[in-house]
Amino acid sequence: MRFWGVLRLFFLTAVFCPAAMTGQSSSGPGYQVDFPSLTSASVNITLPAAPTQLYMATGATGRQDGFASYVRDLSAKCGGRSLALARTGATWKVVSSETGPCTVHYRVDLSFVTGKWEVGNEQAGFSDSKGTFVVSKALFLESDARGRRSITFTVPHGWSLITPWPSSTDHEFNFERDGALADLIAFGQLSSGATSSGAFRVTLVSFGELAGQQQEIFAAVQKIAAFYNQMFPGTAPSSYLIALIPGEEADGEAYDHGFASTVQTPLKTNERIVWADVIANEMFHYWNGHQLSAANSDGDLDGLAKDSPNISRASRSFKPAKSRRPTSCKSSPSTWDSTSTS
């Protein structure tokens, strides 16, 4: 009888608890991010179990604790009981003996996107009266919880949300741990445009005075993206986000799948070869950093990116990284001039 009892238990476990039989782990943390305004975010995290710590990425703020100083009303619960949180810098130690699912809630004060930042820090975020962009690491508390992260965003009616990430459903994204901490997010009533010339897709968002020049700037971005797609037509699908904001001088910051840059306004049409070259340079840095590898140890990727007039030599000097699909190269124009990016 004991044998049949064990067999029955095995059968019930296999039918009703297949994860227990296959060794699959439970799902990882789930994030729900709401933007009630252009300068605030509300975040709820559901975790399968209590983590031992919560933390925020540091950098790009001029503060030792990074963006942790902008976190408000942080609370955590497991089994309906509040957990003790002890903060040191950008890390919160979680004290808990509870088991089972847990929830974490906090707000992020994004008012820094409207303030005056020192040169070199503007690219952490910016907001005009219609839209906001912010570095993604300013939004997310990470943890040592296991499993893939799922992130869902909601924005008010009439707003749009732009990220460089592929989504499984509308505004839902999935990442490994720390995978969402090195990019840009834009939301609001945005002046934006997305290229459609090939697998390399670029979205441009312009803010402030630059929104009035969105059409002219985007025309340049379209031609640059088309040029790169023609140069390497076998490139794996990828997305790139550019945020341009008005500033006292030209200065940029690159992220995993995009860059943000302050530029002096207004952009002058007769200086298109200058500012379009900056955009082309940053796009190519992403290209050679994520899509290409040097054909030999003497390859100068940085020099190539800066040498826009001879950028077509990439088709002869570089080959796709081993982790990418094979890429064929076509002949490309040998020079850049003001008409090639107009």
Side-chain angles (χ1 to χ4, degrees):
M1 295 297 293
R2 178 176 297 179
F3 170 80
W4 292 109
V6 172
L7 183 62
R8 181 171 179 269
L9 177 61
F10 178 89
F11 174 78
L12 292 174
T13 302
V15 172
F16 296 105
C17 304
M21 301 303 298
T22 60
Q24 296 175 353
S25 60
S26 59
S27 59
Y31 290 75
Q32 173 64 52
V33 183
D34 301 316
F35 294 112
S37 73
L38 293 175
T39 57
S40 63
S42 176
V43 184
N44 288 287
I45 312 173
T46 302
L47 300 107
T52 62
Q53 66 175 6
L54 302 168
Y55 61 89
M56 293 200 85
T58 58
T61 62
R63 298 172 180 265
Q64 187 174 3
D65 59 356
F67 291 95
S69 56
Y70 299 105
V71 173
R72 305 284 185 268
D73 304 328
L74 175 62
S75 63
K77 291 184 177 181
C78 286
R81 295 186 179 183
S82 297
L83 305 183
L85 302 173
R87 177 185 170 188
T88 302
T91 302
W92 288 262
K93 182 179 179 181
V94 181
V95 180
S96 174
S97 58
E98 301 292 330
T99 59
C102 300
T103 58
V104 174
H105 172 75
Y106 61 96
R107 295 185 302 106
V108 183
D109 178 7
L110 298 177
S111 59
F112 65 83
V113 299
T114 64
K116 171 65 177 176
W117 287 63
E118 294 298 324
V119 173
N121 283 336
E122 301 99 326
Q123 297 79 26
F126 181 87
S127 184
D128 53 22
S129 60
K130 295 184 178 181
T132 293
F133 93 83
V134 68
V135 291
S136 56
K137 61 185 172 184
L139 299 173
F140 300 114
L141 272 173
E142 258 291 9
S143 69
D144 54 358
R146 297 180 179 180
R148 286 176 61 81
R149 280 74 170 130
S150 64
I151 301 174
T152 303
F153 295 91
T154 58
V155 295
H157 178 72
W159 285 18
S160 58
L161 173 82
I162 298 177
T163 79
W165 306 322
S167 60
S168 54
T169 60
D170 188 31
H171 293 177
E172 182 177 344
F173 309 88
N174 293 281
F175 300 90
E176 298 297 335
R177 178 178 172 181
D178 294 338
L181 303 182
D183 275 308
L184 300 172
I185 294 174
F187 56 93
Q189 296 175 318
L190 303 170
S191 296
S192 64
T195 64
S196 57
S197 58
F200 181 42
R201 187 172 186 269
V202 183
T203 300
L204 170 72
V205 186
S206 302
F207 292 88
E209 299 172 66
L210 294 168
Q213 295 184 272
Q214 167 74 18
Q215 186 174 358
E216 179 183 9
I217 304 170
F218 183 64
V221 171
Q222 279 187 307
K223 289 208 169 185
I224 296 167
F227 181 80
Y228 290 163
N229 277 308
Q230 180 187 18
M231 185 186 298
F232 296 105
T235 299
S238 56
S239 296
Y240 193 75
L241 175 59
I242 300 173
L244 295 183
I245 59 179
E248 296 178 358
E249 62 180 273
D251 188 33
E253 182 72 23
Y255 297 92
D256 275 2
H257 301 92
F259 81 93
S261 181
T262 53
V263 294
Q264 291 179 308
T265 56
L267 293 176
K268 299 178 181 179
T269 301
N270 62 357
E271 294 180 355
R272 184 188 299 116
I273 189 62
V274 177
W275 53 260
D277 183 71
V278 172
I279 294 174
N281 177 278
E282 292 303 323
M283 288 169 60
F284 198 83
H285 272 303
Y286 165 76
W287 198 285
N288 66 45
H290 291 261
Q291 307 289 348
L292 303 176
S293 64
N296 56 66
S297 59
D298 297 326
D300 181 7
L301 292 171
D302 187 66
L304 174 61
K306 293 177 180 178
D307 192 11
S308 292
N310 295 315
I311 203 168
S312 64
R313 65 190 169 101
S315 63
R316 299 187 298 275
S317 302
F318 293 86
K319 62 184 179 181
K322 292 181 179 180
S323 61
R324 301 289 179 178
R325 296 184 299 180
T327 303
S328 60
C329 302
K330 296 182 178 179
S331 60
S332 305
S334 59
T335 60
W336 279 72
D337 55 33
S338 59
T339 59
S340 67
T341 55
S342 61

